[in-house]
Amino acid sequence: MKKPMLLTLLLLLVAVSGLLVVSAQTETPENLLCTEDGSNGIQCNTVADNECFPGGDMAWESGNGPCEQGNQEVWVCGWYLARYNAGLISTMPLDCHWVFPPTPTPTVIRYS
């Protein structure tokens, strides 16, 4: 009788601790959030806040790109790219590495 209850309690403890780890990862540090007055260097609704805003690296001049169509994943990557470009973060999430230009492949030159 004690063994099933102990196992259930252990599984519950593992599930709760997993939720705490996930919730801790989703909290954004204050210095990465935009402010209306730009007091922390990131003014809301500007390129400093998201590279999808007009003039940003990911904004399309034609106005019909993925950012302008409201693609959530693209907006998230635009948010990270703005902070990466400003030097506020040093790495990008793996899901957003597509925003970087491809690394050129060296061409081997053979002499005959």
Side-chain angles (χ1 to χ4, degrees):
M1 187 70 170
K2 286 185 179 183
K3 198 171 190 176
M5 187 162 53
L6 183 60
L7 184 59
T8 304
L9 185 60
L10 182 61
L11 288 173
L12 182 62
L13 181 62
V14 168
V16 169
S17 65
L19 288 174
L20 292 175
V21 168
V22 170
S23 67
Q25 291 175 346
T26 59
E27 292 181 19
T28 304
E30 289 288 324
N31 66 327
L32 295 180
L33 296 174
C34 70
T35 56
E36 290 301 321
D37 63 356
S39 58
N40 68 342
I42 306 171
Q43 186 169 358
C44 295
N45 302 317
T46 65
V47 175
D49 181 29
N50 195 311
E51 289 288 348
C52 281
F53 284 112
D57 290 344
M58 295 173 59
W60 288 24
E61 288 182 27
S62 63
N64 62 354
C67 287
E68 293 81 5
Q69 293 174 9
N71 183 314
Q72 183 66 28
E73 291 83 18
V74 175
W75 271 93
V76 168
C77 291
W79 186 90
Y80 279 106
L81 185 59
R83 280 133 185 91
Y84 181 85
N85 288 342
L88 298 173
I89 59 174
S90 59
T91 59
M92 292 279 283
L94 289 177
D95 293 346
C96 294
H97 279 209
W98 60 266
V99 302
F100 295 123
T103 305
T105 306
T107 304
V108 176
I109 301 174
R110 298 181 186 204
Y111 294 100
S112 337

